[in-house]
Amino acid sequence: MKTIVFAITEFGPGGAETQILRLGQSLVARGWKVHVLSLLEPVGFLEEANAAGIVVSSLKMTRGQPTLRDFQNALEFVRRVKPHALVGFLFHANLLVSLLRLFAGVPRVIISLRGEDYNPRRLMIQRTLLGLRLADVLVTNSKRLSKRLVESGVEGSRIHVVPNLPPPMKHLSSRNLSGAFRWIAVGNILPAKDYANLLHAAKLLESSETPWAIQIAGAFYDAAERRRVEDLIQVLGLEKGVEVLGARSDVEELMHASNGFVLSSREEGLPNALIEAMICGTPVVCTDVGGTGELVSDGLSGMLVSKENSEALATAMNHLMTLDQREREELAKRAYLKVTELCEPEKVIGTWEALIE
């Protein structure tokens, strides 16, 4: 039985972390021994990982204060576990797994970028890791991100685009929902999600002839951003139309109970929430960031608008609300066909296995 270790800054609810959990569950089912090494204390997913047979360990590092002892602990962990492959998710974990190869001689090291973090210094460091063969390949989850990495100087042959692994969710081809048009937005309350964009769009929607309601489901990891979102709801007078639900474990049910899904982000990789909405059959409106344009063709499988443009977002949302049910179902049907083709589970897992073998 081969062993793989996924390293992540902080294991818990989040896009990259969700992918590690789903990949780990699938790899365990295929006979792999899967470990997750969280640099900081994990903040979630422990029950799910344990149920799947995934072993979660932590270096218990202090945020922003790495020490030599932390690296020694990581080195001791790798020498004890003896993985065939080390996979880093996001910058700090990428740096760690690459340095571990230098000292522990791990056969296969993969680094992964999941979003639009184009900090020049970080890109230079990761480009150097590949150049020095401290990492074998770099995995990203969209063609747009891959193109930008090549433009930044990363060798194209070392980049592999692997879409996100979707969850098993029920597809509803039609739904009969009465009352106001229900919107659902899913994503942790973070600056990159740009909920201010959505709230300003909601304010513009007050002139719409169609009654609506918006629910936002996502964990509060950034206290300052939480205050900004809650304050803006009050300033714009949206208390009756917008509800912030916090972290939820029933996203599938929320999708099925909604007429439309909206994503207002300014930065993304390939959003899990967008994939989930398309699988569930919920018509989508989203900003053109990261890999969203690889899933959504404007007017064919959803509505795609420029980022940080509340007027465009409001116009697209209003357009979706004015479509009749048959037209929305046609959009959702084409979206479902697209997402199941791009993110076909066996193909995604097979690609990952080929990379880590």
Side-chain angles (χ1 to χ4, degrees), residues 22-80:
R22 291 176 186 167
L23 288 168
Q25 291 167 331
S26 297
L27 289 169
V28 167
R30 288 176 174 236
W32 285 79
K33 178 69 174 178
V34 177
H35 289 259
V36 172
L37 180 62
S38 181
L39 279 60
L40 305 176
E41 282 276 17
V43 294
F45 286 163
L46 295 179
E47 290 185 9
E48 295 89 338
N50 183 62
I54 300 169
V55 181
V56 180
S57 304
S58 175
L59 297 179
K60 299 181 180 179
M61 295 173 62
T62 301
R63 189 182 297 274
Q65 299 178 37
T67 66
L68 179 59
R69 181 68 250 179
D70 293 328
F71 181 74
Q72 290 172 333
N73 289 339
L75 188 58
E76 291 170 5
F77 169 84
V78 170
R79 286 173 172 167
R80 182 178 73 253

Side-chain angles (χ1 to χ4, degrees), residues 234-309:
Q234 291 187 351
V235 168
L236 296 176
L238 295 171
E239 297 95 329
K240 292 183 179 180
V242 178
E243 181 183 10
V244 181
L245 304 175
R248 296 291 290 256
S249 60
D250 58 344
V251 169
E252 182 176 6
E253 289 78 7
L254 291 172
M255 294 286 193
H256 289 159
S258 300
N259 302 97
F261 167 85
V262 58
L263 182 142
S264 56
S265 300
R266 68 168 66 99
E267 295 177 11
E268 285 288 354
L270 193 67
N272 289 321
L274 176 62
I275 292 171
E276 292 162 7
M278 295 171 77
I279 289 174
C280 286
T282 309
V284 302
V285 173
C286 65
T287 47
D288 185 9
V289 291
T292 59
E294 294 159 41
L295 285 169
V296 179
S297 298
D298 186 38
L300 293 175
S301 53
M303 307 295 173
L304 193 67
V305 302
S306 56
K307 66 179 180 179
E308 299 177 301
N309 188 334

Side-chain angles (χ1 to χ4, degrees), residues 122-185:
R122 290 186 175 188
L123 283 176
M124 181 273 292
I125 291 173
Q126 289 171 114
R127 187 167 63 243
T128 301
L129 297 177
L130 289 165
L132 294 175
R133 302 288 168 173
L134 295 179
D136 296 297
V137 296
L138 186 155
V139 172
T140 189
N141 53 6
S142 83
K143 293 177 182 178
R144 174 183 278 182
L145 299 183
S146 174
K147 180 181 178 182
R148 292 186 181 178
L149 287 166
V150 171
E151 290 170 351
S152 76
V154 178
E155 184 182 340
S157 63
R158 307 287 294 283
I159 302 171
H160 293 262
V161 178
V162 186
N164 284 358
L165 183 66
M169 283 182 158
K170 182 180 180 180
H171 174 72
L172 294 183
S173 57
S174 64
R175 60 197 70 191
N176 293 310
L177 302 173
S178 59
F181 191 101
R182 303 176 194 173
W183 288 99
I184 183 67

Side-chain angles (χ1 to χ4, degrees), residues 319-334:
H319 179 64
L320 186 65
M321 291 194 297
T322 59
L323 295 178
D324 62 35
Q325 183 170 327
R326 181 190 61 80
E327 290 173 314
R328 290 198 297 269
E329 288 174 359
E330 282 298 315
L331 276 179
K333 178 181 178 181
R334 289 190 289 267

